[in-house]
Amino acid sequence: KQQTMSKLTYFPIRGRGSRILLLAAATGHLGDFENATVSFPDWQTTDFKASTDFGSVPIFEDEYVGRISESLTILRYLGDKWGAYGQDAERWRVDSLLGFTEDCYRAFMAVGANAKPEELQEKLDGLVTYVERAAAFAEKNGKTFFVGDSISIGDIYLFDTLVNMYGPIESTWAQVKGNETVWRIVKAIAAIPGVRELIESDQWCATVAPPFFEGRPHSSAEGCVVDPE
């Protein structure tokens, strides 16, 4: 019996789908599923949105789970399948980092959505607390990555948030580069061969997710690989 190809559907931006691509790249499974991007016009004008569980993407499909939604659910499922969800008690450390990173992601989005122009920079400067807390977490663990010596879905999610949310803005990217512990781990993840290959490929979307702050329009993830110093 021929195995049905798995499928990942996501918007063609560095949004919630990019962390799943990064996980696949880091663990050597990027070729294990079909990549299907859905454009924003098609999302609004076809019946596809109504067919999803919650009116959102990314969506992952395979023979075992059928179709599942929500990026963190997909990360947990594939992380477990691909050995990137920690072992034994370490799994709870991974989950702790996932929860922290979701807080960080939402805090960043809230600044973009709610900050008045005159207070935007002050609010952005306040996001350094998440960088500092991530560093403290990693230093307590004392490992190669934020959680352990093997890449985990927690590491991937935080990496994705730092390079795709903090990265496009000069002041917040400086927070990342200015923290020795966090910058060491960001470079280590970017140096994983599969991650480097993804970032240098056409599959790595050029557009970052909202909020589209005005700032230096550099590609932070490429900077980790090409010019890490």
Side-chain angles (χ1 to χ4, degrees):
K1 181 181 178 180
Q2 185 175 5
Q3 186 175 5
T4 303
M5 186 71 171
S6 304
K7 181 177 180 181
L8 175 68
T9 304
Y10 56 98
F11 289 131
I13 60 173
R14 294 189 206 166
R16 291 186 177 271
S18 64
R19 63 201 58 160
I20 302 165
L21 294 177
L22 285 167
L23 171 64
T27 56
H29 291 279
L30 196 56
D32 288 9
F33 53 85
E34 175 189 351
N35 279 277
T37 58
V38 54
S39 69
F40 290 106
D42 285 347
W43 178 251
Q44 297 296 337
T45 59
T46 67
D47 294 332
F48 181 70
K49 182 177 181 179
S51 73
T52 65
D53 290 336
F54 305 112
S56 63
V57 290
I59 291 169
F60 186 79
E61 303 169 71
D62 71 7
E63 286 187 325
Y64 179 71
V65 294
R67 172 188 281 187
I68 54 174
S69 306
E70 297 298 310
S71 62
L72 291 183
T73 300
I74 298 169
L75 275 181
R76 287 186 172 100
Y77 170 62
L78 294 177
D80 184 61
K81 185 176 181 179
W82 296 337
Y85 198 174
Q87 296 294 321
D88 302 320
E90 187 182 72
R91 174 164 295 202
W92 305 112
R93 305 287 291 170
V94 173
D95 265 335
S96 294
L97 186 57
L98 287 175
F100 165 78
T101 305
E102 183 69 6
D103 289 344
C104 174
Y105 182 90
R106 291 182 182 277
F108 208 108
M109 294 293 282
V111 169
N114 302 321
K116 298 175 182 177
E118 63 271 18
E119 64 182 18
L120 178 58
Q121 191 58 56
E122 180 182 356
K123 297 290 187 182
L124 288 172
D125 291 344
L127 292 170
V128 72
T129 182
Y130 290 96
V131 178
E132 294 168 345
R133 288 156 64 188
F137 178 82
E139 288 162 6
K140 288 176 184 176
N141 291 329
K143 303 294 184 179
T144 304
F145 301 110
F146 288 104
V147 179
D149 288 324
S150 299
I151 195 71
S152 75
I153 56 176
D155 300 305
I156 290 293
Y157 186 15
L158 185 52
F159 174 83
D160 178 71
T161 299
L162 292 174
V163 299
N164 291 329
M165 299 294 286
Y166 281 67
I169 305 167
E170 188 167 3
S171 63
T172 51
W173 190 229
Q175 296 171 9
V176 176
K177 294 184 71 173
N179 189 294
E180 183 178 354
T181 298
V182 169
W183 187 234
R184 173 186 63 78
I185 297 172
V186 165
K187 290 192 294 181
I189 296 172
I192 295 172
V195 173
R196 183 185 183 114
E197 183 179 348
L198 171 64
I199 289 171
E200 293 177 340
S201 75
D202 293 337
Q203 195 172 351
W204 190 243
C205 299
T207 305
V208 295
F212 298 104
F213 290 112
E214 292 184 3
R216 184 171 60 185
H218 73 287
S219 180
S220 52
E222 285 87 330
C224 298
V225 174
V226 179
D227 183 24
E229 299 303 327

